[in-house]
Amino acid sequence: MLLRENIYDLLRADILACRFAPGDEMREQDLAERYSVSRQPVRDALLRLQREHLVTVQPRQGYRVTPISLSDARDLLRFRLALEPACVAEAIESAPDSVLESLDEFRRFSGSHEDFITYNRGFHTALAHASGNRRMATALCDLIGQADRLVRVSISNLKGHDPAKLVAEHVALIDAMQNRETRTAARIIKAHIGATEKRVLPALKRNAVIVEERSS
């Protein structure tokens, strides 16, 4: 892989994992030292991240991790609500049994809150790829990665949260998909994402790094 791709992937992962928090300032030289590279691949990575709205350029000052607005968070979750059920429907219609059976690894979970974020991302990524539609899967995986950032920012609202209910929803969805029950699966995944919105948005509203609603 080219060096600039490595730096882009590393920097993007650090932003989505909130190792660079929303609102943090970043400078090319500091990032070059962090990743032990020259400034050019860092600049290339920052420009790509700017196009993805994860980084904002500050004239004569450097860059800043784009803060999260409630409207932007809502847009992301609503886009996911439109896209993920479509991926699930495609998987039910077209995926071979072996692909749907591979979802069985997500029937159980044990571990920390951080472990759950990894498990949850893995499950929803697997749903995306099960669709067999590369364009939809790519778009959904990007949304899932950015949704991780929302969860991490709202983490104070989720401490002590028992993941058993969410895992049970995953199991119910796996059952419906493996039985090729399209309507049941659609109902479950839509309710699952809707519950995420109801849980995450109020937490974001209370978080100091959230910026005001963007102007129209």
Side-chain angles (χ1 to χ4, degrees):
M1 184 182 292
L2 295 174
L3 180 61
R4 61 175 177 271
E5 291 290 337
N6 280 329
I7 299 306
Y8 164 78
D9 289 338
L10 287 170
L11 184 52
R12 188 176 191 275
D14 281 345
I15 290 172
L16 293 179
C18 288
R19 286 185 281 272
F20 290 112
D24 278 0
E25 293 186 355
M26 298 185 299
R27 297 185 181 279
E28 289 180 6
Q29 186 59 43
D30 294 339
L31 293 172
E33 293 173 4
R34 177 187 179 97
Y35 299 116
S36 301
V37 295
S38 68
R39 294 175 62 172
Q40 186 58 51
V42 169
R43 185 177 300 116
D44 292 343
L46 288 166
L47 290 174
R48 289 181 64 181
L49 293 167
Q50 180 189 7
R51 290 194 293 270
E52 296 179 28
H53 308 292
L54 289 174
V55 166
T56 303
V57 176
Q58 301 188 103
R60 298 181 297 279
Q61 296 181 38
Y63 302 82
R64 184 171 69 145
V65 179
T66 305
I68 300 171
S69 72
L70 288 173
S71 59
D72 208 31
R74 190 179 296 110
D75 286 352
L76 188 156
L77 291 168
R78 296 289 169 83
F79 186 17
R80 182 178 165 191
L81 184 60
L83 185 56
E84 192 159 11
C87 284
V88 168
E90 288 264 344
I92 291 172
E93 179 180 350
S94 305
D97 289 343
S98 59
V99 169
L100 299 184
E101 288 167 3
S102 69
L103 298 174
D104 284 340
E105 69 175 287
F106 298 103
R107 288 181 175 274
R108 291 166 296 279
F109 166 77
S110 61
S112 66
H113 183 87
E114 186 67 23
D115 293 332
F116 180 79
I117 291 177
T118 301
Y119 154 84
N120 189 62
R121 185 195 318 116
F123 174 66
H124 289 282
T125 299
L127 294 182
H129 290 297
S131 72
N133 185 315
R134 284 185 292 179
R135 286 185 179 273
M136 288 204 308
T138 297
L140 180 55
C141 287
D142 178 61
L143 291 177
I144 291 164
Q146 295 200 44
D148 270 2
R149 188 172 175 237
L150 302 185
V151 172
R152 292 174 190 279
V153 168
S154 63
I155 200 153
S156 61
N157 192 56
L158 300 173
K159 286 181 179 177
H161 179 72
D162 183 2
K165 181 177 183 295
L166 298 178
V167 175
E169 291 173 6
H170 291 175
V171 171
L173 180 59
I174 292 168
D175 287 341
M177 292 179 69
Q178 290 178 345
N179 291 326
R180 310 281 180 175
E181 297 171 351
T182 304
R183 289 186 179 180
T184 300
R187 175 180 54 78
I188 293 170
I189 189 62
K190 288 176 182 178
H192 186 68
I193 299 169
T196 299
E197 180 176 336
K198 290 179 181 177
R199 184 176 65 251
V200 169
L201 291 184
L204 292 177
K205 190 177 293 186
R206 293 192 294 271
N207 195 294
V209 302
I210 306 306
V211 299
E212 68 278 1
E213 299 292 319
R214 62 175 182 268
S215 58
S216 56

